[in-house]
Amino acid sequence: MTAPAAQQRDVLISVIICSRNRAELLRHAIQSVADQDISKNLFEVVVVDNASSDNTSAVAHSFQDRIALRYIREERIGLCVARNTGWRSACGRYVVFFDDDAIARPGWLASIKAAFERAGPSVGAIGGRVDPIWEAARPPWLADEIAGSLTIVHWGDDEKVIRDIRMEWLVGANMALPKHLLADIGGFHPWLDRVGNNLLSSGDVFLQKEVMRRGYQCLYVPAIAIKHLVPAARLTQKWFMSRFYWQGVSDAVMQLIERVPSPRQRLALAVNRVRRLLRSPGLLAALPFRTNSPDTFKKKCLALIDIGYVVGLLGAAKH
């Protein structure tokens, strides 16, 4: 149910938080937004409950006497679906995407407001730093390049325009766009990102590609900073290998969206990637075995992207 008073408010910023069965994490996330040192009249929070069976509704409604907060129930499971439901109901000029397992640092919303005020019309997406909250010790085999898949973002201490999205990017846990641009793009593509427990990803990356395709810039602002939980369950080699395999599948899905290749073209793309894989037969043979070498494990994860990409083109990505 939507709170009538909040529904009619003219606000500058809408913070979208999608959540599924993580009510206690959600409580801390909303609290960190409510504690921001910015006028409460400038922002609203839209909680999209993605078919939760816990007390997500009660947690969200418990904040309605403190901030402008609206609760929306979305029964169709999927992160992109939930995010699209959220921004389409937003009242703000700017839409900020925030995760339910994140904590906004002091000054977060003020930094977003300031960034949009000084940004020219060429800027279409703004995001910032994401620091990890380690639930367990960081493994010694985890290279920095691989750790980025845990939603860790630090592209330096200076503001910069993202030039090559293959090397640097913004993330959906901490990213803001004008609502009119989201409407022009159509929001997040429903073929991408998490649905239930799968590890499909890249909905936020594809959105940034669409921003750039329309001639806008994506801006990294380190002062727009949050903290993001890294669960202990993800700090295993098995999880990372699955995550990078699914990154390959996600890359294949993006290829299908962008180029709409014919079956013959899919096969040609897959064959070219297999040839690249076969140049490192020793690495392929080592894939099932554990290693404590960060460099070796990084190479294994990168090889799994290729494998996932091939499988995605030939069958897993059925679009």
Side-chain angles (χ1 to χ4, degrees), residues 211-261:
V211 168
M212 293 177 176
R213 266 192 276 269
R214 284 162 174 77
Y216 293 92
Q217 295 176 329
C218 295
L219 186 65
Y220 167 75
V221 180
I224 300 174
I226 68 169
K227 298 185 289 183
H228 192 275
L229 180 67
V230 178
R234 294 186 180 181
L235 297 176
T236 67
Q237 293 195 5
K238 180 180 179 181
W239 185 88
F240 277 94
M241 292 175 73
S242 180
R243 169 68 180 83
F244 278 83
Y245 167 82
W246 277 99
Q247 183 60 59
V249 176
S250 303
D251 291 348
V253 173
M254 285 193 286
Q255 184 100 71
L256 299 181
I257 295 169
E258 292 171 330
R259 294 180 54 181
V260 195

Side-chain angles (χ1 to χ4, degrees), residues 115-116 118-127 159-165 170 175-178 181 185 207-221:
F116 275 115
R118 67 175 179 270
S122 63
V123 173
I126 295 176
E159 193 170 298
K160 66 168 72 174
V161 173
I162 300 294
R163 302 292 182 188
D164 185 348
I165 205 166
L170 309 177
M175 182 170 66
L177 299 91
L181 182 54
I185 293 170
L207 181 65
Q208 289 164 74
K209 286 186 175 185
E210 291 297 302
V211 168
M212 293 177 176
R213 266 192 276 269
R214 284 162 174 77
Y216 293 92
Q217 295 176 329
C218 295
L219 186 65
Y220 167 75
V221 180

Side-chain angles (χ1 to χ4, degrees), residues 115-242:
F116 275 115
E117 287 174 346
R118 67 175 179 270
S122 63
V123 173
I126 295 176
R129 201 176 78 241
V130 182
D131 300 320
I133 304 171
W134 299 100
E135 194 174 60
R138 176 174 172 162
W141 43 261
L142 183 57
D144 286 345
E145 299 91 332
I146 302 303
S149 64
L150 295 167
T151 317
I152 299 172
V153 175
H154 197 315
W155 307 130
D157 297 326
D158 297 320
E159 193 170 298
K160 66 168 72 174
V161 173
I162 300 294
R163 302 292 182 188
D164 185 348
I165 205 166
R166 296 169 299 178
M167 304 301 295
E168 296 178 333
W169 52 85
L170 309 177
V171 291
N174 187 20
M175 182 170 66
L177 299 91
K179 185 178 178 181
H180 75 83
L181 182 54
L182 277 166
D184 179 55
I185 293 170
F188 293 87
H189 200 288
W191 290 3
L192 293 163
D193 258 323
R194 308 291 196 271
V195 179
N197 294 321
N198 78 27
L199 292 179
L200 202 65
S201 61
S202 296
D204 48 6
V205 170
F206 190 75
L207 181 65
Q208 289 164 74
K209 286 186 175 185
E210 291 297 302
V211 168
M212 293 177 176
R213 266 192 276 269
R214 284 162 174 77
Y216 293 92
Q217 295 176 329
C218 295
L219 186 65
Y220 167 75
V221 180
I224 300 174
I226 68 169
K227 298 185 289 183
H228 192 275
L229 180 67
V230 178
R234 294 186 180 181
L235 297 176
T236 67
Q237 293 195 5
K238 180 180 179 181
W239 185 88
F240 277 94
M241 292 175 73
S242 180

Side-chain angles (χ1 to χ4, degrees), residues 229-298:
L229 180 67
V230 178
R234 294 186 180 181
L235 297 176
T236 67
Q237 293 195 5
K238 180 180 179 181
W239 185 88
F240 277 94
M241 292 175 73
S242 180
R243 169 68 180 83
F244 278 83
Y245 167 82
W246 277 99
Q247 183 60 59
V249 176
S250 303
D251 291 348
V253 173
M254 285 193 286
Q255 184 100 71
L256 299 181
I257 295 169
E258 292 171 330
R259 294 180 54 181
V260 195
S262 66
R264 185 172 182 175
Q265 289 170 326
R266 284 197 196 195
L267 181 60
L269 289 167
V271 167
N272 286 338
R273 193 62 67 95
V274 168
R275 285 173 178 162
R276 189 169 83 174
L277 272 170
L278 292 177
R279 296 191 192 110
S280 303
L283 183 58
L284 289 173
L287 277 175
F289 302 104
R290 182 181 173 83
T291 177
N292 287 319
S293 164
D295 186 61
T296 300
F297 187 66
K298 177 182 72 174

